[in-house]
């Protein structure tokens, strides 16, 4: 989770809506945690003022984010833009689920 | 293990849906249904590092096992079971998850197993209490991740139960591995609220010889507390909570009479199984798990007639590989020495569900499992599974005398396919395949009817009477309404006629035939079965001695003519 010193830090924030029918259930949480863990930058997810470490599957599961939940994703680090992009794609693709 | 509260004790009694055998008098210990039972004790400050180390090792073992499972699912990377295992793996590696547990070791000074329970409970407690199915699923995954660690602690969690008195475990349900564990830890008896006539907990309890009851009406035994005295009467399928002195005296007389009867039966252990008119009968035993071997050896059997191989698969949280299977079967073969061990290929699908439900998630279970993918049908569709088992058995054949039995045979080509696989695997292993007899299980009417044809491709037959009855009479063995009159059902002439047909075909082809299932253990059936041409019976080892005594007092009469005419 350390930032690469050679590259400029990026700090970005975005709000996404969980749109798959089942919400952030265990398998979707696993996919999201696998995605976030692939990046060096710090990632936090915020639901209604409760922020968790976006790389912790337990944290993601504890958010209990059902369909329609708004999550604010904050990324901080050299690969922040790429991380945000990947997270956005995963959420908007409904974690690869049909509905 | 809480102290019982002072309160009015009320004598209560009731019945159970099913029972093993024996009687136990002891003190109730209730278990939470949520988590596997783990002992609780406090640790001293100097023990903290040691306990943390136990946690580290168990967690590492859980991770290794989950990774192995994931590898076995490599072809289905995005299937639901694979994703759930991934979720478990992530939890096991998640610092938040780990810290939620070890805080209870480090700060709470609880033992490792208990800390896992506390940690999991606190994590579950943080969810909103709104009942939502998907929340429920996530809670389950957190619980399962905890179980995964706990299951690697168990080797050291075998401390005896309270030795000051006999303990009777009372729980909603007791998973199969736990049944064995409680037995090993010295429990006097087991009672579960859940479970019907075919409860696996009861089957297992019967096997290891621990008194047990399953299927209790909740309301009646609901207010039993830890420390209450209870009489567990598995002989008459009843229980008495807070018994009066007369009850206790009665049961003490009963248990001593039973012990005496058992001691007398033991005299038959070293006698031959021969009828008064000289028919030599062979008695084999059915076994399921290694813990039964002691009792098997005491009953003086001619061999193992049916080693069921489901136990290992039902209790594992992953699919046992070739080596694990080899190690599991080996004690049976070692214990039997020169006497043959007949091992039935995995027969899952019907009334047994796998803990590791890989097969189920692969859509192998149909609408009507008894008529669906089970036995050899399933194995031929899961060739990896079949090959691993066959390789384990072939390797085993170098350590003793084994026979391979194929369940649910309906077609000749099924036997031929299995034989081809055996031959190929034997060649690969450099083992002579011809030395291992391959037998067909006759448990579907079709197999009995074409027994002459099956005899051409089989080295022996084993009649599975339970399924043969179920399939011949279209009577569900799990349906308690039908099960209640089972004995009458078996008396249907079709049953004996099918058995006679199979026996006649076996004799004509000069291959051995035996019979297992409940008919084999029923004294009333021995004579008609011998008359039908069956002289080898396989039954649970606690039925061997009574059956031998019965046989030694039996006149069979005209054996051959009967075998020739019936069928």
């Amino acid at each position: 989770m350390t930032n690469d010193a050679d590259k400029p830090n990026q700090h970005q924030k975005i709000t996404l809506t969980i749109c798959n029918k089942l919400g952030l259930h265990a398998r979707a949480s696993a996919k999201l945690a696998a995605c976030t863990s692939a990046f060096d930058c710090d990632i936090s997810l915020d639901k209604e003022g409760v922020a968790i470490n976006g790389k912790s599957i337990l944290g993601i599961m504890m958010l209990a984010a059902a369909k329609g939940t708004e999550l604010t994703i904050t990324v901080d680090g050299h690969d922040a833009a790429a991380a945000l992009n990947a997270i956005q794609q995963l959420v908007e693709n409904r974690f690869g689920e049909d509905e | 293990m809480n102290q019982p509260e002072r309160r009015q004790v009320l004598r209560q009694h009731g019945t159970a849906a099913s029972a093993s055998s024996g009687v136990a008098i002891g003190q109730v210990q209730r278990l939470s249904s949520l988590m596997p039972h783990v002992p609780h004790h406090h640790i001293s400050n100097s023990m903290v590092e040691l306990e943390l180390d136990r946690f580290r090792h168990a967690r590492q073992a859980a991770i290794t096992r989950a990774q192995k499972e994931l590898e076995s699912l490599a072809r289905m990377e995005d299937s639901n079971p694979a994703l759930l295992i991934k979720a478990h793996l992530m939890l096991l590696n998640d610092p938040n998850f780990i810290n939620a547990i070890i805080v209870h070791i480090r700060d709470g000074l609880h033992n490792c197993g208990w800390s896992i329970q506390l940690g999991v409970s606190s994590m579950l407690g943080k969810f909103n209490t709104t009942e939502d199915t998907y929340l429920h699923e996530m809670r389950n995954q957190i619980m399962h991740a905890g179980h995964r660690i706990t299951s690697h602690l168990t080797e050291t969690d075998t401390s005896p139960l309270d030795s000051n008195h006999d303990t009777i475990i009372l729980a909603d349900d007791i998973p199969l591995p736990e049944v064995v564990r409680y037995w090993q830890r010295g429990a006097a008896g087991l009672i579960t609220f859940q479970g019907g006539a075919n409860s696996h907990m009861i089957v297992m309890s019967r096997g290891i010889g621990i008194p047990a009851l399953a299927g209790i009406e909740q309301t009646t035994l609901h207010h039993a507390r830890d420390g209450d005295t209870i009489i567990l009467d598995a002989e008459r399928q009843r229980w008495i909570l807070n018994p009066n002195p007369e009850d206790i005296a009665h049961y003490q007389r009963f248990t001593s009479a039973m012990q005496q009867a058992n001691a007398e039966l033991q005299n038959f252990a070293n006698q031959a199984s021969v009828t008064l008119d000289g028919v030599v009968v062979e008695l084999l035993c059915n076994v399921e798990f290694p813990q039964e071997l002691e009792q098997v050896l005491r009953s003086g059997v001619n061999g193992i007639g049916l080693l069921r191989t489901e136990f290992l698969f039902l209790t594992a949280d992953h699919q046992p590989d070739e080596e694990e299977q080899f190690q599991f079967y080996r004690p049976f073969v070692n214990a039997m020495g020169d006497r043959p061990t007949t091992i039935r290929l995995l027969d899952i699908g019907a009334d047994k569900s796998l803990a590791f439900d890989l097969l189920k998630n692969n859509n192998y279970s149909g609408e009507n499992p008894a008529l669906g993918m089970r036995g050899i049908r399933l194995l031929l569709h899961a060739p990896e599974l079949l090959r691993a088992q066959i390789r384990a058995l072939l390797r085993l054949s170098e350590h003793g005398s084994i026979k391979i039995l194929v369940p649910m045979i309906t077609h000749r080509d099924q036997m031929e396919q299995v034989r081809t696989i055996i031959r190929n695997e034997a060649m690969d292993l450099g083992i002579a395949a011809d030395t291992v007899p391959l037998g067909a299980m006759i448990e579907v009417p079709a197999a009995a009817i074409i027994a002459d044809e099956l005899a051409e491709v089989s080295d022996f037959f084993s009649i599975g009477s339970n399924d043969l009855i179920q399939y011949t009479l279209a009577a569900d063995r799990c349906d308690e309404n039908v099960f209640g009159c089972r004995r009458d059902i078996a008396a249907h002439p079709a049953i004996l006629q099918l058995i006679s047909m199979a026996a006649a075909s076996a004799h004509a082809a000069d291959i051995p035939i035996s019979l297992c299932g409940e008919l084999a253990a029923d004294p009333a059936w021995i004579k008609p079965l011998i008359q039908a041409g069956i002289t080898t019976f396989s039954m649970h080892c606690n039925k061997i001695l009574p059956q031998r005594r019965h046989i030694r007092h039996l006149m069979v009469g005209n054996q051959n003519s009967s075998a020739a005419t019936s069928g």
Side-chain angles (χ1 to χ4, degrees), chain B residues 31-37 147 171-182 190 192 200-201 204 311 314-315 355:
Chain B
L31 300 186
S32 139
S33 59
L34 267 184
M35 302 288 285
H37 181 68
H147 284 191
D172 277 343
D173 194 17
I174 303 177
L176 294 187
E178 296 289 310
V179 172
V180 176
R181 204 163 300 133
Y182 283 118
L190 309 172
T192 60
H200 287 293
M201 188 279 277
M204 167 92 66
F311 176 71
L314 287 166
T315 51

PDB file of all heavy atoms in Angstrom, chain B residues 31-37 147 171-182 190 192 200-201 204 311 314-315 355:
ATOM      1  N   LEU B  31     -25.010 -27.663  22.999  1.00  0.00           N
ATOM      2  CA  LEU B  31     -24.082 -27.027  22.068  1.00  0.00           C
ATOM      3  C   LEU B  31     -24.803 -25.968  21.275  1.00  0.00           C
ATOM      4  O   LEU B  31     -25.956 -26.125  20.925  1.00  0.00           O
ATOM      5  CB  LEU B  31     -23.537 -28.041  21.062  1.00  0.00           C
ATOM      6  CG  LEU B  31     -22.776 -29.226  21.587  1.00  0.00           C
ATOM      7  CD1 LEU B  31     -22.226 -29.976  20.396  1.00  0.00           C
ATOM      8  CD2 LEU B  31     -21.651 -28.765  22.472  1.00  0.00           C
ATOM      9  N   SER B  32     -24.081 -24.919  20.979  1.00  0.00           N
ATOM     10  CA  SER B  32     -24.624 -23.929  20.067  1.00  0.00           C
ATOM     11  C   SER B  32     -24.641 -24.536  18.673  1.00  0.00           C
ATOM     12  O   SER B  32     -23.731 -25.247  18.276  1.00  0.00           O
ATOM     13  CB  SER B  32     -23.734 -22.687  20.101  1.00  0.00           C
ATOM     14  OG  SER B  32     -23.572 -22.188  18.804  1.00  0.00           O
ATOM     15  N   SER B  33     -25.695 -24.254  17.935  1.00  0.00           N
ATOM     16  CA  SER B  33     -25.803 -24.858  16.614  1.00  0.00           C
ATOM     17  C   SER B  33     -24.997 -24.087  15.580  1.00  0.00           C
ATOM     18  O   SER B  33     -24.725 -24.567  14.500  1.00  0.00           O
ATOM     19  CB  SER B  33     -27.263 -24.919  16.190  1.00  0.00           C
ATOM     20  OG  SER B  33     -27.775 -23.607  16.176  1.00  0.00           O
ATOM     21  N   LEU B  34     -24.613 -22.869  15.949  1.00  0.00           N
ATOM     22  CA  LEU B  34     -23.967 -22.019  14.951  1.00  0.00           C
ATOM     23  C   LEU B  34     -22.567 -22.470  14.595  1.00  0.00           C
ATOM     24  O   LEU B  34     -22.173 -22.498  13.451  1.00  0.00           O
ATOM     25  CB  LEU B  34     -23.893 -20.579  15.483  1.00  0.00           C
ATOM     26  CG  LEU B  34     -25.045 -19.674  15.095  1.00  0.00           C
ATOM     27  CD1 LEU B  34     -24.789 -18.272  15.605  1.00  0.00           C
ATOM     28  CD2 LEU B  34     -25.224 -19.652  13.586  1.00  0.00           C
ATOM     29  N   MET B  35     -21.803 -22.787  15.604  1.00  0.00           N
ATOM     30  CA  MET B  35     -20.398 -23.053  15.380  1.00  0.00           C
ATOM     31  C   MET B  35     -20.065 -24.458  15.869  1.00  0.00           C
ATOM     32  O   MET B  35     -20.698 -24.957  16.771  1.00  0.00           O
ATOM     33  CB  MET B  35     -19.554 -22.052  16.188  1.00  0.00           C
ATOM     34  CG  MET B  35     -19.825 -20.614  15.852  1.00  0.00           C
ATOM     35  SD  MET B  35     -19.177 -20.148  14.251  1.00  0.00           S
ATOM     36  CE  MET B  35     -17.438 -20.041  14.607  1.00  0.00           C
ATOM     37  N   PRO B  36     -19.025 -25.063  15.299  1.00  0.00           N
ATOM     38  CA  PRO B  36     -18.610 -26.344  15.841  1.00  0.00           C
ATOM     39  C   PRO B  36     -18.185 -26.144  17.289  1.00  0.00           C
ATOM     40  O   PRO B  36     -17.670 -25.089  17.647  1.00  0.00           O
ATOM     41  CB  PRO B  36     -17.408 -26.727  14.968  1.00  0.00           C
ATOM     42  CG  PRO B  36     -16.945 -25.458  14.359  1.00  0.00           C
ATOM     43  CD  PRO B  36     -18.122 -24.553  14.273  1.00  0.00           C
ATOM     44  N   HIS B  37     -18.410 -27.142  18.074  1.00  0.00           N
ATOM     45  CA  HIS B  37     -18.096 -26.977  19.482  1.00  0.00           C
ATOM     46  C   HIS B  37     -16.595 -26.951  19.697  1.00  0.00           C
ATOM     47  O   HIS B  37     -15.880 -27.832  19.251  1.00  0.00           O
ATOM     48  CB  HIS B  37     -18.700 -28.109  20.289  1.00  0.00           C
ATOM     49  CG  HIS B  37     -18.424 -27.966  21.750  1.00  0.00           C
ATOM     50  ND1 HIS B  37     -18.964 -26.968  22.503  1.00  0.00           N
ATOM     51  CD2 HIS B  37     -17.626 -28.672  22.563  1.00  0.00           C
ATOM     52  CE1 HIS B  37     -18.532 -27.063  23.741  1.00  0.00           C
ATOM     53  NE2 HIS B  37     -17.702 -28.099  23.800  1.00  0.00           N
ATOM     54  N   HIS B 147     -14.659 -21.376  10.299  1.00  0.00           N
ATOM     55  CA  HIS B 147     -14.662 -22.842  10.397  1.00  0.00           C
ATOM     56  C   HIS B 147     -13.404 -23.435   9.795  1.00  0.00           C
ATOM     57  O   HIS B 147     -12.873 -24.417  10.294  1.00  0.00           O
ATOM     58  CB  HIS B 147     -15.857 -23.426   9.645  1.00  0.00           C
ATOM     59  CG  HIS B 147     -17.145 -23.280  10.379  1.00  0.00           C
ATOM     60  ND1 HIS B 147     -18.291 -23.919   9.985  1.00  0.00           N
ATOM     61  CD2 HIS B 147     -17.465 -22.586  11.476  1.00  0.00           C
ATOM     62  CE1 HIS B 147     -19.260 -23.605  10.813  1.00  0.00           C
ATOM     63  NE2 HIS B 147     -18.784 -22.783  11.721  1.00  0.00           N
ATOM     64  N   ALA B 171     -27.763 -31.147  20.973  1.00  0.00           N
ATOM     65  CA  ALA B 171     -27.531 -30.111  19.967  1.00  0.00           C
ATOM     66  C   ALA B 171     -28.625 -30.152  18.919  1.00  0.00           C
ATOM     67  O   ALA B 171     -29.353 -31.139  18.812  1.00  0.00           O
ATOM     68  CB  ALA B 171     -26.175 -30.311  19.293  1.00  0.00           C
ATOM     69  N   ASP B 172     -28.742 -29.082  18.146  1.00  0.00           N
ATOM     70  CA  ASP B 172     -29.686 -29.091  17.029  1.00  0.00           C
ATOM     71  C   ASP B 172     -29.291 -30.182  16.053  1.00  0.00           C
ATOM     72  O   ASP B 172     -30.089 -30.973  15.614  1.00  0.00           O
ATOM     73  CB  ASP B 172     -29.674 -27.735  16.314  1.00  0.00           C
ATOM     74  CG  ASP B 172     -30.560 -26.733  17.016  1.00  0.00           C
ATOM     75  OD1 ASP B 172     -31.404 -27.185  17.822  1.00  0.00           O
ATOM     76  OD2 ASP B 172     -30.402 -25.533  16.786  1.00  0.00           O
ATOM     77  N   ASP B 173     -28.021 -30.170  15.710  1.00  0.00           N
ATOM     78  CA  ASP B 173     -27.499 -31.153  14.772  1.00  0.00           C
ATOM     79  C   ASP B 173     -26.020 -31.305  15.092  1.00  0.00           C
ATOM     80  O   ASP B 173     -25.393 -30.390  15.595  1.00  0.00           O
ATOM     81  CB  ASP B 173     -27.695 -30.653  13.328  1.00  0.00           C
ATOM     82  CG  ASP B 173     -27.496 -31.782  12.329  1.00  0.00           C
ATOM     83  OD1 ASP B 173     -27.535 -32.957  12.750  1.00  0.00           O
ATOM     84  OD2 ASP B 173     -27.295 -31.487  11.139  1.00  0.00           O
ATOM     85  N   ILE B 174     -25.468 -32.486  14.815  1.00  0.00           N
ATOM     86  CA  ILE B 174     -24.035 -32.692  15.025  1.00  0.00           C
ATOM     87  C   ILE B 174     -23.448 -33.174  13.711  1.00  0.00           C
ATOM     88  O   ILE B 174     -23.827 -34.229  13.219  1.00  0.00           O
ATOM     89  CB  ILE B 174     -23.773 -33.726  16.144  1.00  0.00           C
ATOM     90  CG1 ILE B 174     -24.446 -33.294  17.445  1.00  0.00           C
ATOM     91  CG2 ILE B 174     -22.274 -33.893  16.358  1.00  0.00           C
ATOM     92  CD1 ILE B 174     -24.294 -34.281  18.583  1.00  0.00           C
ATOM     93  N   PRO B 175     -22.550 -32.403  13.106  1.00  0.00           N
ATOM     94  CA  PRO B 175     -21.955 -32.835  11.838  1.00  0.00           C
ATOM     95  C   PRO B 175     -21.143 -34.115  12.034  1.00  0.00           C
ATOM     96  O   PRO B 175     -20.621 -34.354  13.126  1.00  0.00           O
ATOM     97  CB  PRO B 175     -21.036 -31.675  11.446  1.00  0.00           C
ATOM     98  CG  PRO B 175     -21.295 -30.578  12.420  1.00  0.00           C
ATOM     99  CD  PRO B 175     -21.987 -31.148  13.598  1.00  0.00           C
ATOM    100  N   LEU B 176     -21.022 -34.909  10.967  1.00  0.00           N
ATOM    101  CA  LEU B 176     -20.383 -36.219  11.087  1.00  0.00           C
ATOM    102  C   LEU B 176     -18.995 -36.199  11.724  1.00  0.00           C
ATOM    103  O   LEU B 176     -18.729 -37.016  12.602  1.00  0.00           O
ATOM    104  CB  LEU B 176     -20.338 -36.904   9.711  1.00  0.00           C
ATOM    105  CG  LEU B 176     -21.692 -37.266   9.122  1.00  0.00           C
ATOM    106  CD1 LEU B 176     -21.524 -38.073   7.856  1.00  0.00           C
ATOM    107  CD2 LEU B 176     -22.543 -38.037  10.117  1.00  0.00           C
ATOM    108  N   PRO B 177     -18.094 -35.296  11.309  1.00  0.00           N
ATOM    109  CA  PRO B 177     -16.770 -35.347  11.943  1.00  0.00           C
ATOM    110  C   PRO B 177     -16.848 -35.085  13.442  1.00  0.00           C
ATOM    111  O   PRO B 177     -16.062 -35.611  14.215  1.00  0.00           O
ATOM    112  CB  PRO B 177     -15.991 -34.230  11.252  1.00  0.00           C
ATOM    113  CG  PRO B 177     -16.801 -33.798  10.104  1.00  0.00           C
ATOM    114  CD  PRO B 177     -18.195 -34.231  10.322  1.00  0.00           C
ATOM    115  N   GLU B 178     -17.838 -34.272  13.834  1.00  0.00           N
ATOM    116  CA  GLU B 178     -17.996 -33.959  15.253  1.00  0.00           C
ATOM    117  C   GLU B 178     -18.472 -35.167  16.045  1.00  0.00           C
ATOM    118  O   GLU B 178     -18.135 -35.345  17.198  1.00  0.00           O
ATOM    119  CB  GLU B 178     -18.991 -32.802  15.433  1.00  0.00           C
ATOM    120  CG  GLU B 178     -18.517 -31.495  14.831  1.00  0.00           C
ATOM    121  CD  GLU B 178     -17.376 -30.883  15.626  1.00  0.00           C
ATOM    122  OE1 GLU B 178     -17.506 -30.760  16.851  1.00  0.00           O
ATOM    123  OE2 GLU B 178     -16.348 -30.571  15.004  1.00  0.00           O
ATOM    124  N   VAL B 179     -19.286 -36.007  15.390  1.00  0.00           N
ATOM    125  CA  VAL B 179     -19.774 -37.215  16.059  1.00  0.00           C
ATOM    126  C   VAL B 179     -18.578 -38.052  16.508  1.00  0.00           C
ATOM    127  O   VAL B 179     -18.476 -38.475  17.663  1.00  0.00           O
ATOM    128  CB  VAL B 179     -20.690 -38.042  15.132  1.00  0.00           C
ATOM    129  CG1 VAL B 179     -21.032 -39.384  15.765  1.00  0.00           C
ATOM    130  CG2 VAL B 179     -21.963 -37.269  14.814  1.00  0.00           C
ATOM    131  N   VAL B 180     -17.648 -38.254  15.578  1.00  0.00           N
ATOM    132  CA  VAL B 180     -16.455 -39.037  15.894  1.00  0.00           C
ATOM    133  C   VAL B 180     -15.643 -38.346  16.983  1.00  0.00           C
ATOM    134  O   VAL B 180     -15.155 -38.983  17.919  1.00  0.00           O
ATOM    135  CB  VAL B 180     -15.584 -39.246  14.631  1.00  0.00           C
ATOM    136  CG1 VAL B 180     -14.308 -39.977  14.973  1.00  0.00           C
ATOM    137  CG2 VAL B 180     -16.374 -39.999  13.578  1.00  0.00           C
ATOM    138  N   ARG B 181     -15.542 -37.041  16.864  1.00  0.00           N
ATOM    139  CA  ARG B 181     -14.734 -36.306  17.832  1.00  0.00           C
ATOM    140  C   ARG B 181     -15.314 -36.430  19.245  1.00  0.00           C
ATOM    141  O   ARG B 181     -14.576 -36.630  20.196  1.00  0.00           O
ATOM    142  CB  ARG B 181     -14.624 -34.839  17.412  1.00  0.00           C
ATOM    143  CG  ARG B 181     -13.412 -34.166  17.985  1.00  0.00           C
ATOM    144  CD  ARG B 181     -13.088 -32.887  17.251  1.00  0.00           C
ATOM    145  NE  ARG B 181     -12.832 -33.132  15.849  1.00  0.00           N
ATOM    146  CZ  ARG B 181     -13.365 -32.408  14.875  1.00  0.00           C
ATOM    147  NH1 ARG B 181     -14.194 -31.438  15.140  1.00  0.00           N
ATOM    148  NH2 ARG B 181     -13.079 -32.681  13.628  1.00  0.00           N
ATOM    149  N   TYR B 182     -16.630 -36.324  19.362  1.00  0.00           N
ATOM    150  CA  TYR B 182     -17.228 -36.451  20.695  1.00  0.00           C
ATOM    151  C   TYR B 182     -17.043 -37.844  21.263  1.00  0.00           C
ATOM    152  O   TYR B 182     -16.812 -38.029  22.451  1.00  0.00           O
ATOM    153  CB  TYR B 182     -18.706 -36.070  20.673  1.00  0.00           C
ATOM    154  CG  TYR B 182     -18.876 -34.581  20.630  1.00  0.00           C
ATOM    155  CD1 TYR B 182     -19.495 -33.953  19.570  1.00  0.00           C
ATOM    156  CD2 TYR B 182     -18.360 -33.802  21.656  1.00  0.00           C
ATOM    157  CE1 TYR B 182     -19.594 -32.580  19.514  1.00  0.00           C
ATOM    158  CE2 TYR B 182     -18.449 -32.435  21.618  1.00  0.00           C
ATOM    159  CZ  TYR B 182     -19.069 -31.828  20.548  1.00  0.00           C
ATOM    160  OH  TYR B 182     -19.153 -30.482  20.509  1.00  0.00           O
ATOM    161  N   LEU B 190     -25.278 -38.994  22.495  1.00  0.00           N
ATOM    162  CA  LEU B 190     -25.545 -37.818  21.668  1.00  0.00           C
ATOM    163  C   LEU B 190     -27.043 -37.712  21.401  1.00  0.00           C
ATOM    164  O   LEU B 190     -27.684 -38.721  21.114  1.00  0.00           O
ATOM    165  CB  LEU B 190     -24.822 -37.927  20.318  1.00  0.00           C
ATOM    166  CG  LEU B 190     -23.328 -38.246  20.322  1.00  0.00           C
ATOM    167  CD1 LEU B 190     -22.845 -38.515  18.897  1.00  0.00           C
ATOM    168  CD2 LEU B 190     -22.545 -37.097  20.931  1.00  0.00           C
ATOM    169  N   THR B 192     -29.741 -35.236  19.099  1.00  0.00           N
ATOM    170  CA  THR B 192     -29.952 -34.063  18.251  1.00  0.00           C
ATOM    171  C   THR B 192     -31.447 -33.848  18.034  1.00  0.00           C
ATOM    172  O   THR B 192     -32.210 -34.798  17.900  1.00  0.00           O
ATOM    173  CB  THR B 192     -29.273 -34.201  16.871  1.00  0.00           C
ATOM    174  OG1 THR B 192     -29.821 -35.341  16.198  1.00  0.00           O
ATOM    175  CG2 THR B 192     -27.786 -34.365  16.997  1.00  0.00           C
ATOM    176  N   HIS B 200     -27.835 -39.386   9.370  1.00  0.00           N
ATOM    177  CA  HIS B 200     -26.463 -39.884   9.241  1.00  0.00           C
ATOM    178  C   HIS B 200     -25.756 -39.886  10.580  1.00  0.00           C
ATOM    179  O   HIS B 200     -24.876 -40.696  10.824  1.00  0.00           O
ATOM    180  CB  HIS B 200     -25.691 -39.054   8.221  1.00  0.00           C
ATOM    181  CG  HIS B 200     -26.117 -39.347   6.824  1.00  0.00           C
ATOM    182  ND1 HIS B 200     -25.877 -40.561   6.241  1.00  0.00           N
ATOM    183  CD2 HIS B 200     -26.811 -38.623   5.932  1.00  0.00           C
ATOM    184  CE1 HIS B 200     -26.400 -40.551   5.030  1.00  0.00           C
ATOM    185  NE2 HIS B 200     -26.973 -39.392   4.818  1.00  0.00           N
ATOM    186  N   MET B 201     -26.182 -38.954  11.442  1.00  0.00           N
ATOM    187  CA  MET B 201     -25.600 -38.944  12.779  1.00  0.00           C
ATOM    188  C   MET B 201     -25.875 -40.287  13.459  1.00  0.00           C
ATOM    189  O   MET B 201     -25.001 -40.850  14.123  1.00  0.00           O
ATOM    190  CB  MET B 201     -26.227 -37.783  13.572  1.00  0.00           C
ATOM    191  CG  MET B 201     -25.596 -37.512  14.915  1.00  0.00           C
ATOM    192  SD  MET B 201     -26.164 -38.604  16.235  1.00  0.00           S
ATOM    193  CE  MET B 201     -27.662 -37.823  16.755  1.00  0.00           C
ATOM    194  N   MET B 204     -23.809 -43.148  11.876  1.00  0.00           N
ATOM    195  CA  MET B 204     -22.431 -43.067  12.369  1.00  0.00           C
ATOM    196  C   MET B 204     -22.345 -43.520  13.835  1.00  0.00           C
ATOM    197  O   MET B 204     -21.424 -44.257  14.208  1.00  0.00           O
ATOM    198  CB  MET B 204     -21.964 -41.620  12.232  1.00  0.00           C
ATOM    199  CG  MET B 204     -20.701 -41.300  12.973  1.00  0.00           C
ATOM    200  SD  MET B 204     -19.242 -41.498  11.976  1.00  0.00           S
ATOM    201  CE  MET B 204     -19.490 -40.223  10.767  1.00  0.00           C
ATOM    202  N   PHE B 311     -17.875 -41.777   3.505  1.00  0.00           N
ATOM    203  CA  PHE B 311     -17.533 -41.067   4.744  1.00  0.00           C
ATOM    204  C   PHE B 311     -16.475 -39.985   4.520  1.00  0.00           C
ATOM    205  O   PHE B 311     -16.664 -38.839   4.879  1.00  0.00           O
ATOM    206  CB  PHE B 311     -17.058 -42.074   5.792  1.00  0.00           C
ATOM    207  CG  PHE B 311     -16.596 -41.446   7.067  1.00  0.00           C
ATOM    208  CD1 PHE B 311     -17.497 -40.859   7.935  1.00  0.00           C
ATOM    209  CD2 PHE B 311     -15.257 -41.431   7.398  1.00  0.00           C
ATOM    210  CE1 PHE B 311     -17.072 -40.273   9.114  1.00  0.00           C
ATOM    211  CE2 PHE B 311     -14.823 -40.850   8.575  1.00  0.00           C
ATOM    212  CZ  PHE B 311     -15.721 -40.270   9.423  1.00  0.00           C
ATOM    213  N   LEU B 314     -17.928 -37.195   2.501  1.00  0.00           N
ATOM    214  CA  LEU B 314     -18.980 -36.429   3.164  1.00  0.00           C
ATOM    215  C   LEU B 314     -18.412 -35.523   4.239  1.00  0.00           C
ATOM    216  O   LEU B 314     -18.984 -34.493   4.543  1.00  0.00           O
ATOM    217  CB  LEU B 314     -19.997 -37.387   3.805  1.00  0.00           C
ATOM    218  CG  LEU B 314     -20.919 -38.112   2.840  1.00  0.00           C
ATOM    219  CD1 LEU B 314     -21.626 -39.252   3.551  1.00  0.00           C
ATOM    220  CD2 LEU B 314     -21.931 -37.150   2.252  1.00  0.00           C
ATOM    221  N   THR B 315     -17.290 -35.934   4.835  1.00  0.00           N
ATOM    222  CA  THR B 315     -16.786 -35.152   5.950  1.00  0.00           C
ATOM    223  C   THR B 315     -15.702 -34.176   5.533  1.00  0.00           C
ATOM    224  O   THR B 315     -15.357 -33.293   6.297  1.00  0.00           O
ATOM    225  CB  THR B 315     -16.212 -36.075   7.040  1.00  0.00           C
ATOM    226  OG1 THR B 315     -15.293 -36.970   6.423  1.00  0.00           O
ATOM    227  CG2 THR B 315     -17.310 -36.878   7.714  1.00  0.00           C
ATOM    228  N   ALA B 355     -20.485 -32.493   1.683  1.00  0.00           N
ATOM    229  CA  ALA B 355     -20.134 -31.238   2.345  1.00  0.00           C
ATOM    230  C   ALA B 355     -19.436 -30.347   1.324  1.00  0.00           C
ATOM    231  O   ALA B 355     -19.720 -29.176   1.182  1.00  0.00           O
ATOM    232  CB  ALA B 355     -19.229 -31.506   3.528  1.00  0.00           C
TER     233      ALA B 355
END
